[in-house]
Amino acid sequence: VDNSYWNVGKVSDTSTTIADSSMSGEYVALGVTTENKAVVAWYSSDAQALYYKYQTATGWSNAEQIDDGFVGWYVDLVVDGANGVHIAYYDASNGDLKYAYVEDYTKPDEAKTMTVDSYLSSGTNISISVKKVGDDYVPYISSFMSSFNKTSYTVRTAWITDGSLLKTKTADELKGVDVND
């Protein structure tokens, strides 16, 4: 292997368990803040819910439930330049693509959660990124829609039209879908 362009090596001899077997699950996403603090979101298969933790000066925060009801599959997250955490995940009970925004990574109890796409079965194999537009960060969520497999509708992308709305509107005001999906 040619490692001339990569610094490959062991970072630490220690490891930390952030979720025991009763809280763990198949899907997990990790990000890092501008303060070099790790944040993690994961699906707990026992609780059938999405959980979140962040690194503190002395260890890890307590696990905070972000959403429940068989949600958190295919979770992905990104931390923006203002340390806001954008989390995209799948709601397996409804077949929906969901999104959570944690404006201050140390306050997951204030997360705004919403359904972004609920048309048929949408939201697996998720990827999320952000783009700075003016003073705000706009999340872009790409996902696979198995209902239209092998068509031009298989991969879908969703984004909020104005990133400032994430800070000024409630989750109920931001819901991306109506009664017609």
Side-chain angles (χ1 to χ4, degrees), residues 69-91:
F70 214 38
V71 300
W73 290 26
Y74 304 101
V75 65
D76 195 21
L77 72 78
V78 64
V79 181
D80 66 34
N83 290 324
V85 181
H86 305 263
I87 307 169
Y89 54 100
Y90 182 63
D91 175 347

Side-chain angles (χ1 to χ4, degrees), residues 29-30 74-80 84-89 97-101 116 125-131 137-143 156-160 166:
L30 178 71
Y74 304 101
V75 65
D76 195 21
L77 72 78
V78 64
V79 181
D80 66 34
V85 181
H86 305 263
I87 307 169
Y89 54 100
L97 174 63
K98 295 193 78 176
Y99 169 78
Y101 176 60
V116 174
N125 301 66
I126 297 167
S127 176
I128 187 168
S129 62
V130 292
K131 178 181 178 183
Y137 291 90
V138 175
Y140 289 83
I141 306 167
S142 296
S143 65
R156 298 168 65 89
T157 301
W159 63 94
I160 193 164
L166 291 172

